[in-house]
Structures are given as structure tokens and as C-alpha cells.
Amino acid sequence: MGALGVSDYALFSLVVTLPVLLLPIGDLGIGAALIDAVEGSKGSPGGREHIERTITSGARALTCTGVLIIIGALVVVATGAQSSLLGAASAPGAGASIATVAALMGCVVPLSLGYSALDALRRSHVSALLQAAGNVLALCLVLLFAALGSPVYCFVSAGFLGHCVAALIGLLMAGRALEMPLLRTVVTSLHPRQRVTRIVHLAGPKTVINVATAVAYGSDRLVLSHTAGPIAVAVYSAGAQLYTPAWALVNAGTVPLWNMFVRQRRDSDRVPKAELGRIMLWFGTGALLVGVGLVTLGPSVTRWMTHGGAGAGSALMAAFAALLLAHAVVSPVAMWLTQPAALRLLAGRYVRMAVVSLALSVPLAWLIGPAGPVVASVASHTVCVSIPCFRSVFRGVRARQETR
């Protein structure tokens, strides 16, 4: 904010989240297939080969996705469509910024296979630490670019450069743990002679969930840019700077549950309602405490962060706190619904959530400004995801059918 000003900061925050709209910085659901392969192959004679084929399949899917992201961005820049896409937040550096993001995102996506492999190996803490290190490196680059007076596209590149380095280290660490050359697997994944296996039954629904979530939440800045202007985008982005790490903490906390629930379902098809209730209570309590911090400290912290230019108000931070609580409470239940049939149903719920969220975001953004899309997200997630998931798991018969 200090180096670029409000308008260019709005452009920066909008462009760096475009990949989140197109595709979450994640694994396209490959992590789901990897966890299932690692946990399900223990003690199996062909387990090692199955894991290798699953990893190769995931690497191929992620590499193809990275290439498509680069091609899509080049088409946008070549046709000059960035002005229409970004709305009021568009500025002279928009084309170069989008091209920079696409090139780096195309590298981050296949390299993120290392994070998925670490999660599958029950080393989620290592994955989280590496991603945190990537953020620290990004901050250092931002400070460097600010000192040099660099243009906006340099600032845009900072986060993705940091995550490229961190993801590469994660890939090498995971390859060492698995005793597999994962970097070479990624580079050669498109070779037709590579042996692969079917992963779409798990990766497909998980990808739909990821994309629906990205559309629902990643489109908020675009909606605000077209309905409320760049100041609203900057205010929303300042609040999101505090919400995002809290949301990432909830996501990181749910990853070990996947491994645990896979093992439990292997031993019994009984739904552990009491255990799920206790986990939900812990997640909900933690989210409530963090939410109180967001509401009480968020406005003053964001004013300090943005040099008083785009501080987030109490209403916006309260909306983010409510969204965090909604995600945290349902996350353990969603992790239980990770069998193929249940994941397909869950994917449908997330698609409905994305549609409802977009439909509500536009009028609410026009009426109440930056808090509008967040309120829409809370309402759509509660009605379309949380309530159906609770009914499915705790109703009894339907839960047993979904987890088979």
C-alpha cells in the first residue's frame, strides 16, 4: 500500500487472486487420491506400484493444468480482455501482471505435488512449515521491490516466487521420503510411456469442490470491482489478509483427519458420531476465539497495514469471523465424507453453494459494500453445505450409505 497506493494495491490484490478464481493453489484433488493410495496400500503386495502410478497420474494432471493456465492467461493478455475482466481495478500494468502470475502459477501447480505427498505421509506439519516459509520469502521480496520502487507486476510475482521455491523444496523432501525421483516424475509426466492409474473417482469430486470453493470466494474481489470500485476491493483485501491465514489454519488442521478416517473406515463402517462431535467442538471453539480476535483487533490492524488508506470495518471483520466459524464446524464432518460416493454428493453441494453465493454477492455488494460477498458466502455455505452434511452424517441410515 505504501509503495503502490490504493489503486495499484487494488490491482495487485485482484490479480494475485485470479489464479484462486481459476484454480485453487492446491492439488486438484490429487491429495485425496494419494492419501487413499498410501493408507490403503499398507501391507498390500502391489502397494508400492499403486502409489507410484497414483503419483505419476497426479503429476500428469497437475502439469497439464499448469500449461492450460499459462495458455489461458496469454489469450487474455493478447486479446486485451484484462480491462473487461478486472473492471474498475484495471490499470496500465494489468497485462504484464496477469502474464507474470500465469507463468509462475504454471510452475507452482505441478510442484505442489510435493505438499500432497507430504500430507499423505502424515507430514502435514512439514508441508505447513514450507508454505509458511514461502510466505516469509514473499514478504522479503515485497520489501525488496518496495525499496527499489519496482512496478506493480514485480509485487505480483513475489508470492508466487516464494511458493515456487517452497514447493520445489517440498517436492524434493517428499521424493526423498518416498525414495522416488518426484521432480523427474513431474518433468516427464506427459511422456506417453509413463505408467498411470485411475484417480478420477477421488480426484474428480475433490477438484469440483476446490473449483466451486474458488469460484465462490475468489470472485468476491471481481464482484466488488464491478459494483463498488477499487476502494472496496482494497478494503476487502485488507480484511482478507487477516482471514486467510486463519482459514488456512483450519484447512491444515483437517488434513490429518483424512488419514485417520481412512483407517477407521477400513476397520468399521460405523459413523463415530461422538468423536466427530468432540472434534467439531474443538474446531468451533478455536474458530470462535480467532473470530473474536478478528473483530476486536482487525479494524485497527488493517488501518495500520494500509497506512489508513483502506482499513476494514467491524462489519467486514465480523462477516469474516462468521465465515471462519461456518467452515471450522463443518470441516470434520466433510472429512468423514471422503469416500467416492460421499465425495460426489459433497461436490454437488459445493457447486450449489457457489451458484447461490454468486447470485447473492452482486446485490449484497451493491447494498452493503465489501462485507456483502462475505455475508453471501456465509449464508450459501450454511444452507448448501453445512446443514446437508450434518443431516447426512448424524441422521444414521443415509450416513452409512454415503460412506460406502
Side-chain angles (χ1 to χ4, degrees):
M1 178 68 78
L4 298 176
V6 175
S7 297
D8 276 352
Y9 173 71
L11 172 64
F12 160 80
S13 63
L14 186 57
V15 172
V16 296
T17 54
L18 277 178
V20 180
L21 173 62
L22 299 172
L23 177 75
I25 301 179
D27 60 2
L28 269 183
I30 306 305
L34 270 179
I35 290 174
D36 188 74
V38 171
E39 293 293 339
S41 299
K42 289 180 178 177
S44 173
R48 175 71 179 183
E49 182 181 359
H50 179 56
I51 293 173
E52 291 177 353
R53 287 174 179 256
T54 302
I55 288 175
T56 304
S57 300
R60 178 175 293 182
L62 291 170
T63 302
C64 288
T65 302
V67 172
L68 288 175
I69 289 175
I70 294 174
I71 293 174
L74 291 178
V75 170
V76 169
V77 175
T79 58
Q82 64 268 18
S83 298
S84 300
L85 178 64
L86 299 177
S90 182
S97 299
I98 291 177
T100 301
V101 164
L104 294 172
M105 185 66 180
C107 297
V108 171
V109 169
L111 292 176
S112 68
L113 179 69
Y115 294 146
S116 301
L118 289 171
D119 291 339
L121 293 169
R122 304 183 197 176
R123 300 185 183 185
S124 302
H125 59 291
V126 178
S127 175
L129 287 172
L130 283 171
Q131 293 178 65
N135 288 330
V136 172
L137 177 56
L139 174 60
C140 293
L141 290 171
V142 166
L143 294 173
L144 175 62
F145 293 144
L148 296 175
S150 303
V152 64
Y153 63 82
C154 292
F155 288 87
V156 165
S157 70
F160 295 97
L161 283 171
H163 283 291
C164 269
V165 174
L168 177 60
I169 295 172
L171 191 71
L172 296 175
M173 292 179 66
R176 184 175 180 180
L178 287 167
E179 297 181 350
M180 290 180 58
L182 290 190
L183 181 58
R184 189 174 68 186
T185 300
V186 169
V187 173
T188 62
S189 60
L190 298 182
H191 195 284
R193 292 185 179 179
Q194 290 280 25
R195 297 182 299 174
V196 296
T197 189
R198 181 177 178 270
I199 61 173
V200 70
H201 63 296
L202 286 170
K206 193 64 171 64
T207 298
V208 172
I209 291 172
N210 288 347
V211 172
T213 302
V215 170
Y217 307 137
S219 62
D220 289 352
R221 290 175 176 85
L222 282 178
V223 169
L224 288 170
S225 179
H226 285 276
T227 58
I231 300 296
V233 176
V235 170
Y236 175 97
S237 299
Q241 287 292 324
L242 301 184
Y243 166 77
T244 301
W247 178 72
L249 182 63
V250 171
N251 280 351
T254 59
V255 173
L257 296 179
W258 192 309
N259 302 69
M260 182 177 73
F261 290 156
V262 168
R263 295 194 301 272
Q264 286 188 357
R265 283 195 300 268
R266 192 171 54 203
D267 299 331
S268 172
D269 65 350
R270 182 183 63 86
V271 179
K273 296 181 181 179
E275 184 177 9
L276 279 173
R278 286 193 298 271
I279 297 173
M280 287 168 55
L281 180 61
W282 280 108
F283 271 74
T285 302
L288 189 61
L289 292 174
V290 174
V292 170
L294 289 177
V295 175
T296 56
L297 302 176
S300 57
V301 171
T302 54
R303 280 195 299 272
W304 170 77
M305 285 166 50
T306 61
H307 303 275
S314 298
L316 176 60
M317 299 315 299
F320 275 127
L323 183 60
L324 180 66
L325 181 62
H327 274 289
V329 171
V330 79
S331 290
V333 176
M335 281 295 103
W336 176 256
L337 299 172
T338 48
Q339 288 289 81
L343 269 179
R344 288 194 294 271
L345 291 172
L346 193 61
R349 293 167 185 166
Y350 271 89
V351 169
R352 288 192 290 273
M353 179 207 69
V355 173
V356 173
S357 179
L358 279 173
L360 291 175
S361 290
V362 175
L364 287 177
W366 184 75
L367 288 172
I368 60 177
V374 188
V375 173
S377 298
V378 175
S380 61
H381 190 277
T382 301
V383 173
C384 299
V385 177
S386 297
I387 294 175
C389 283
F390 292 146
R391 291 179 60 190
S392 295
V393 170
F394 293 106
R395 195 167 58 182
V397 176
R398 178 66 177 274
R400 288 193 295 272
Q401 291 174 345
E402 286 191 359
T403 54
R404 286 175 181 169

